[in-house]
Amino acid sequence: MLATNGRMKIAIQRNGRLTEDSVALLRACGLSFEFLKQSLYSPCRNFDLDVLAIRDDDIPEYVQDGVADLGIIGENILQERNARVHTLAPLGFGGCKLMISVPQRSSVRKVSDLKGKRIGTTYPVILKSFLKVNKVKAEIIELSGSVELAPSLNVADVICDIVSTGTTAKMNGLRTLCTVLESQAVLVANPTAMRDKKKRTLIDRLMIRVRGSQEARGKRYLMMNAPSDSVQKLKRVIPSLKSPTVVPLAQAGMVAIHTVVAEDVFWDVVEKLKQAGASDIIVVPIETIIR
Ligand code: ATP
Ligand code: MG
């Protein structure tokens, strides 16, 4: 058991695929802390919260047991551990899929073909419920790592493992058969902390910030100048949050237009705006949007 100091704690992965995005999210929420991988606790200077850096596997149990009040963890680990925690929000990073892959030459073409096969995995709990839902009787071989090698070592016939691009599977002579779980990082809370008045106030404050930074994700703030008579034409090109802000410039006949545009369409929009008469187009990142 860890020593406690009465302050709230959020557990994040110490060193791995979720670490950078987790730290970035907390910083985007305005939390000021120095993140040192070698130290267990990083206290926030401006929020009554300590960041606890641990292995991702420990996060569900630590949050369930109240060692940490909050945690950021992949849904894959969360579901596998069956921890009793409260899920507050999906976070839009750490995306990956738990997939069943089979050797290239395997006769397995569909889920029902898995009947009687040995499936190697580090996710026996999730796999078991997937097989149950799909009414397939197969043998689950619980492994602790290097799952992709199991078919060539004849430890298993097929595997159920995390895939983000499929390259590792391909490199090991495997082809993907089906997706068992689509996962991303989520923010979770200890159920008792959710019922504690003081802690709940802090969680609610943090959640407003988390939602704000989620809203801002993938969006850009766009400012431009344009002749007043081109405003109607420009409005048709701008997919703004509500309606673009149009303010007169000191120069007669000219206006400034401000709006928010999604990252994935913003180059298309900028090109069209230019054609429609806009100039001096400025694009800036958005940190947060509070609704
Ligand atoms: P730890 O030392 O903390 O136990 P780990 O090696 O178990 O780390 P990582 O490989 O850093 O874990 O992955 C952490 C999480 O990142 C995974 O549980 C999953 O939710 C997510 N993730 C995203 N992409 C991938 C991927 N390509 N492979 C594995 N996990 C991924
Ligand atoms: Mg781990």
mmCIF file of all heavy atoms in Angstrom, residues 13 55-57 77, ligand 2:
data_model
loop_
_atom_site.group_PDB
_atom_site.id
_atom_site.type_symbol
_atom_site.label_atom_id
_atom_site.label_comp_id
_atom_site.label_asym_id
_atom_site.label_seq_id
_atom_site.Cartn_x
_atom_site.Cartn_y
_atom_site.Cartn_z
ATOM 1 N N GLN A 13 0.133 6.213 -16.696
ATOM 2 C CA GLN A 13 1.209 5.268 -17.023
ATOM 3 C C GLN A 13 2.564 5.972 -16.890
ATOM 4 O O GLN A 13 2.756 7.071 -17.400
ATOM 5 C CB GLN A 13 1.029 4.742 -18.448
ATOM 6 C CG GLN A 13 1.953 3.572 -18.746
ATOM 7 C CD GLN A 13 1.877 3.098 -20.183
ATOM 8 O OE1 GLN A 13 1.442 3.822 -21.081
ATOM 9 N NE2 GLN A 13 2.312 1.866 -20.421
ATOM 10 N N ARG A 55 2.890 1.515 -13.532
ATOM 11 C CA ARG A 55 2.678 0.650 -14.698
ATOM 12 C C ARG A 55 1.194 0.634 -15.040
ATOM 13 O O ARG A 55 0.348 0.619 -14.139
ATOM 14 C CB ARG A 55 3.156 -0.773 -14.408
ATOM 15 C CG ARG A 55 4.653 -0.883 -14.377
ATOM 16 C CD ARG A 55 5.048 -2.316 -14.572
ATOM 17 N NE ARG A 55 4.558 -2.827 -15.852
ATOM 18 C CZ ARG A 55 4.621 -4.097 -16.226
ATOM 19 N NH1 ARG A 55 5.131 -4.993 -15.414
ATOM 20 N NH2 ARG A 55 4.162 -4.479 -17.401
ATOM 21 N N ASP A 56 0.896 0.596 -16.307
ATOM 22 C CA ASP A 56 -0.521 0.678 -16.688
ATOM 23 C C ASP A 56 -1.349 -0.480 -16.112
ATOM 24 O O ASP A 56 -2.495 -0.300 -15.737
ATOM 25 C CB ASP A 56 -0.692 0.811 -18.214
ATOM 26 C CG ASP A 56 -0.330 -0.434 -18.976
ATOM 27 O OD1 ASP A 56 0.377 -1.300 -18.416
ATOM 28 O OD2 ASP A 56 -0.755 -0.542 -20.147
ATOM 29 N N ASP A 57 -0.716 -1.653 -15.998
ATOM 30 C CA ASP A 57 -1.436 -2.833 -15.483
ATOM 31 C C ASP A 57 -1.972 -2.625 -14.068
ATOM 32 O O ASP A 57 -2.949 -3.244 -13.671
ATOM 33 C CB ASP A 57 -0.495 -4.049 -15.447
ATOM 34 C CG ASP A 57 0.233 -4.220 -16.743
ATOM 35 O OD1 ASP A 57 1.102 -3.367 -17.063
ATOM 36 O OD2 ASP A 57 -0.075 -5.164 -17.465
ATOM 37 N N ILE A 77 -7.093 -2.816 -20.987
ATOM 38 C CA ILE A 77 -6.629 -3.255 -19.667
ATOM 39 C C ILE A 77 -7.798 -3.201 -18.669
ATOM 40 O O ILE A 77 -7.998 -4.103 -17.870
ATOM 41 C CB ILE A 77 -5.474 -2.351 -19.162
ATOM 42 C CG1 ILE A 77 -4.282 -2.386 -20.135
ATOM 43 C CG2 ILE A 77 -5.033 -2.733 -17.753
ATOM 44 C CD1 ILE A 77 -3.480 -3.653 -20.104
HETATM 45 MG MG MG B 2 1.491 -2.999 -19.022
#
